[in-house]
Amino acid sequence: MKIRNIISAVAACAVAATAFVMPASAADTYMAGITFQSSSFMYRDDLSQDTILVWDNDLGEGVEVEGSSYVDATITGDGTYTVELNGVEDGGWNMLKVDTEIDAAVNPNAVLTITGVELNGSAVDFDATAAAMDNTSTVKGSDGVDVNPAVRAQLINVYDNLAAIPNEGYSSIKVTFEISGLSGAPAADNTDTDTSAPSAPATTPSDSKGSPDTGVEGVAVVAGAAIAAAGVVLLSKKRK
């Protein structure tokens, strides 16, 4: 076998190994949505509840609220998201929250910032201080498993005397919020509430020390093995 043919074979092995390198794991995703309890016993207690219910004393259970709906968001990284709740006009809320499945212990730098609220389709002012992130509570995720502590923000909680928005007079609510610091990088100070475009996701995981795991080491091993094999062929050829 000619040397140039051996070198070509080695190069081909290295290229093939590179082509078959797969990411270590897919990016994590997290559900987010509006959960609530109303003064007339309508409720969506957690993200795993797939219909909005109202408690029926005669039946001793919750029944679906006709005409009601919600829109959850799938968080795929740092950026801007919206969640909605519709058809739930009521005399007032006991609790109204934006819950996420993001584990605050696993993602200590993750920050949820509410940037906009629409009531009945119209943007309204809200108390940003009252609507600040709260990561001290448990949230039941879409799979029914508790996330504790979870990243979330409260809009209304009568038990804590908290109200970031009016407590009644509307049947639909849309909340826009920003997630930052999810990739592991500390969240930067951000006073701009423009939600026209999502923030660019950070690219360096916190535990990578600037070098994400791309599987290059595996390629090097394969290429090295191919070169070693080529050396054996050359040595065998020479001995003959």
Side-chain angles (χ1 to χ4, degrees):
M1 182 183 291
K2 294 182 179 180
I3 293 177
R4 65 183 180 182
N5 290 340
I6 295 173
I7 294 174
S8 296
V10 172
C13 289
V15 170
T18 304
F20 283 98
V21 172
M22 299 297 290
S25 61
D28 291 330
T29 60
Y30 309 90
M31 293 301 298
I34 296 176
T35 62
F36 70 96
Q37 293 178 358
S38 79
S39 60
S40 64
F41 308 108
M42 285 195 301
Y43 60 95
R44 186 190 183 200
D45 284 334
D46 56 66
L47 297 175
S48 67
Q49 184 178 320
D50 57 7
T51 56
I52 297 169
L53 303 175
V54 60
W55 184 258
D56 188 310
N57 279 328
D58 294 333
L59 295 176
E61 62 183 22
V63 297
E64 185 173 353
V65 178
E66 294 184 6
S68 64
S69 65
Y70 62 85
V71 179
D72 289 343
T74 300
I75 298 173
T76 56
D78 291 358
T80 302
Y81 302 89
T82 59
V83 289
E84 298 181 34
L85 184 63
N86 300 294
V88 289
E89 187 166 7
D90 193 68
W93 310 97
N94 291 336
M95 291 188 292
L96 185 67
K97 305 168 292 178
V98 176
D99 284 344
T100 82
E101 296 176 318
I102 300 172
D103 191 321
V106 176
N107 301 276
N109 295 310
V111 174
L112 186 159
T113 305
I114 292 180
T115 56
V117 177
E118 293 182 19
L119 303 179
N120 288 345
S122 299
V124 298
D125 292 333
F126 63 96
D127 185 338
T129 300
M133 182 182 74
D134 165 32
N135 62 350
T136 62
S137 301
T138 300
V139 167
K140 191 176 293 295
S142 57
D143 57 1
V145 177
D146 286 347
V147 180
N148 182 25
V151 173
R152 67 168 191 165
Q154 298 190 94
L155 292 171
I156 294 174
N157 187 333
V158 297
Y159 307 109
D160 292 338
N161 197 28
L162 182 153
I165 59 175
N167 199 311
E168 57 183 311
Y170 49 91
S171 59
S172 68
I173 175 172
K174 178 187 289 187
V175 181
T176 303
F177 63 93
E178 182 180 274
I179 294 291
S180 57
L182 186 60
S183 61
D189 291 339
N190 183 11
T191 56
D192 184 2
T193 58
D194 181 7
T195 60
S196 59
S199 303
T203 57
T204 304
S206 59
D207 58 353
S208 66
K209 298 182 180 179
S211 301
D213 183 5
T214 60
V216 173
E217 296 86 346
V219 174
V221 170
V222 174
I227 292 171
V232 172
V233 173
L234 281 174
L235 181 58
S236 175
K237 183 69 175 180
K238 185 175 180 180
R239 287 177 177 176
K240 291 180 181 180

